[in-house]
Amino acid sequence: MICVLFSSAARTPTNSVVVERRSKSSKSYRQSYRSCVGAASRLCFTPGFTARRLNASRRAPKSHNVTDKVNPQQLALLMKTEWQLSYVTPLYQFRHTQLKSYSRQLSAFIAAEKQQGLAVEVEGAQSSFRVSISVVQGMVEADDDAETVLIQIHSKLLFAKKDEPQRPVWSGWLTCINGNPDYLRSLPEDFTCLPLFCSSGGEGLTAVVKSWFQQTFDCCFGTLEINHTSLQWLAALWTNCHAESSIQHLKMIWTLPVAPPLQVTYTVDPHDAWQLWSSVRKDPREESKGGEEAEEENSIDIEEVMEFMQGLKGHFYRHFRLDLSAGSLKQVTTALGSAKYSGKIKISNSRYMITTFTLLTECALLKMPL
Amino acid sequence: MDDSTKRLLQRLIRRIPAQTLRTTLEKWGRLTAAQQRSMDFTQPKWALSEKLLAICEENGLTAKHITELEMTNVIDNPNQGMWYAFQLMDPEDDANSIELTQFKEQFKSHLRELVRPVSIKIKKHTDEAVWIRIAWGDSFSRPNHLKPTYVVHHLQTPYVFVTSLTSKQKPLLSQALVLSARYQAIKDANLSGRKLTAIRDLLMRKYQQVFPTMYPSPLGERNQVVSNPHIEKEQAEPAANRLQMACEAFGDGTLPQLQTVVYKLETKFRDHTNKTMTEREEPFSCVVKFASTNLLESLRHCASSGIASTPVTPLLSSILQKGRNYFVITDNGSGPSTQTRQPQT
């Protein structure tokens, strides 16, 4: 099943079409996301500053039928698994057409690491590892996004019977959904930006895979948390979907800094959460009158998100006289998925996955070092 | 010994903490002094288990004896599993004069009338508590000793604590308890926790009681970083105030160790900035769960540190005052598990 799919139309933004567009900004060094957008926004009122935060406004989640674009079997591999997020700096000389050879190199690399007795040893008694790297065709949104890459590692247990098939022991994927086009176009030639790295499996293998990527594509990895603001965004974005697809509940977990630490789980009825959300939404007609955007779909503002959260916190305070703002939001869960502050994400409904990963791509781009 | 009894013994040995295995076996008293001496407690559990199996075969011990050993262990280590509190209601005239032998006989005969086969073991512990172990069977199977229910009842009090009870068994146990303890009804006390001692202390008020008027100024004990004396003086008063309010709600001593409290809120959403929601007829439903390794301690700290505004809301202080950790809150509701309360705006 190794990379049979990608050969025809895999999009590596180093092909001719993209190069043309990039030639005007072609520079010899790669730029960081922040410096790029910072430079662009020098023309605006708040130079550099806006790029250091998340977008204050984003499009309301549309029910994307990802299943139309992405092979359902591949999509199933991305769903219902809890992924640990990291950011990755742009990959140098990465080719979507070379995945077969990368698979071989990575499995050789793992074998070599294993022989040195490093890292992988703790995973248990496992014999040869089989690596398959493939493209998740269609798992993109904007034209500048590079195609998503899926890495799977299979292995056979040391004492397994001869005919027993190898089992998946580790998987991970690199993606870019709606990456900032200004930034992506400003990248020098030969760099592919897949800023979001999701992994699931033993720590040892994660470390080995990361180190192979670092050595091969001159990139670096870093931890990516889903911070307070992003979690609030997800709570609002997911609640916004309730009219189309039931969220079943809106569950938020806070921790409060007292001794011993106090955890507050606040679970709201889906319909009530949605009504509260609708009540803080600005009238879309009013928006289109004032706003210059000609978009037919309405956008969501950070003010609305904050007002929604304030409403929830206010209702809580009125009963318990306890201020949730003193604590920190650690987790948000609905039937669509769950997100944790520690950088763990699980998607349970593919329909809104693009919206979620757009936000996470943005977080990853922001977290990259200058 | 049959296979199921052997399994029961092996599982039990695995569960008894290694440090207390020797004393538990001594308390059990089914081994001769020589047999007790022949046990090498430095050996791993599986070896001890084999050895003990052999001794039990030799002494001709049966499932009945093994359950005794289990009971000894559970009584010594009660803080395992989830315990639920129940309260007996409307005592008969003779409820206060009931004694152990009478209760024992009554309980056994009442439960056996309701369910058969059933294995019941009753033991009185030193702290006046009666411990009951029930292994349930039904018309098709023998009593299942691997999933016993434990019941702790303090005679002459209306409180009963239960662990591992299914909803099918609950009405049977309730009826047997009500009849044998000489009451007319039993209700859920809306209190549960992993520590039996904590929920017992909470219900029986065995913690340090709060007497607000007698409370001395606690400022001297506080170990604050000395900074500007003026700032300190200005902050001292509200801090002392908060601490006093926190102690009025939760006391100043050691608190029973609860892990959670759950509130089911069905109240109106009131927010002067949100007209749509405030005018809405239906209540806003949500469930709030607080969790901590020592919940009451955490809540007291919330109040004394200012994270919770003082005075502490009755919703939080009633955990201790009412001895409950499950509440249903409505604006004007009624019913047995409903606490009627008008939340302040």
Side-chain angles (χ1 to χ4, degrees), chain B residues 1-8 62-64 115-120 133-148 169:
Chain B
M1 278 206 309
D2 56 8
D3 279 347
S4 67
T5 314
K6 280 182 190 163
R7 264 218 314 280
L8 184 64
T62 62
K64 184 176 149 251
V115 55
R116 226 163 224 282
V118 64
S119 154
I120 310 163
R133 180 191 189 275
I134 307 165
W136 306 84
D138 57 38
S139 30
F140 309 105
S141 61
R142 290 192 297 165
N144 183 358
H145 282 291
L146 293 174
K147 282 180 185 165
Q169 297 154 353

Side-chain angles (χ1 to χ4, degrees), chain A residues 62-82:
Chain A
K62 259 192 316 184
S63 166
H64 283 77
N65 229 340
V66 192
T67 36
D68 287 349
K69 282 161 64 188
V70 184
N71 173 350
Q73 274 177 328
Q74 278 194 311
L75 192 63
L77 293 170
L78 309 183
M79 309 258 308
K80 307 218 156 101
T81 302
E82 192 173 63

Side-chain angles (χ1 to χ4, degrees), chain A residues 6 19 36 93 104 107 119 123 134 145 147 160 172 199 202 210 239:
Chain A
F6 67 87
V19 168
C36 156
Q93 289 194 331
R104 278 197 304 273
S107 55
E123 302 287 318
S134 55
D145 296 341
E147 289 274 9
S199 64
K210 280 181 176 175
T239 305

Side-chain angles (χ1 to χ4, degrees), chain A residues 301-317:
Chain A
D301 264 7
I302 184 79
E303 285 91 52
E304 293 166 310
V305 177
M306 291 306 157
E307 215 173 304
F308 176 58
M309 292 311 283
Q310 206 42 57
L312 291 167
K313 286 180 189 170
H315 185 68
F316 183 90
Y317 183 84

Side-chain angles (χ1 to χ4, degrees), chain A residues 256-269 271-273 275-277 279-280 307 310-312 314-323 326-327, chain B residues 263 265 267-270 274 276-277 280 283-295 297-299 301-302 307-311 313 315-316 343-344:
Chain A
L256 292 167
V258 288
L262 183 64
Q263 192 182 63
V264 179
T265 311
Y266 188 1
T267 314
V268 184
D269 174 273
H271 182 66
D272 292 350
Q275 289 223 320
L276 175 63
W277 171 244
S279 77
V280 301
E307 215 173 304
Q310 206 42 57
L312 291 167
H315 185 68
F316 183 90
Y317 183 84
R318 212 161 56 76
H319 290 86
F320 301 103
R321 295 174 58 75
L322 212 152
D323 195 357
Chain B
Y263 297 89
L265 304 179
T267 50
K268 273 211 64 159
F269 192 97
R270 285 196 197 84
N274 192 330
T276 325
M277 286 303 285
R280 206 175 75 132
F284 190 82
S285 358
C286 55
V287 177
V288 172
K289 178 177 168 185
F290 293 88
S292 157
T293 49
N294 191 340
L295 180 81
E297 192 89 51
S298 296
L299 290 175
H301 195 203
C302 276
I307 287 176
S309 309
T310 43
T313 156
L315 251 65
L316 295 179
Q344 62 267 57

Side-chain angles (χ1 to χ4, degrees), chain B residues 114-156:
Chain B
L114 296 167
V115 55
R116 226 163 224 282
V118 64
S119 154
I120 310 163
K121 222 166 210 2
I122 300 182
K123 202 170 171 180
K124 189 168 172 244
H125 190 48
T126 42
D127 68 352
E128 301 300 308
V130 180
W131 284 72
I132 309 169
R133 180 191 189 275
I134 307 165
W136 306 84
D138 57 38
S139 30
F140 309 105
S141 61
R142 290 192 297 165
N144 183 358
H145 282 291
L146 293 174
K147 282 180 185 165
T149 298
Y150 272 88
V151 182
V152 180
H153 174 48
H154 290 249
L155 287 178
Q156 278 99 43

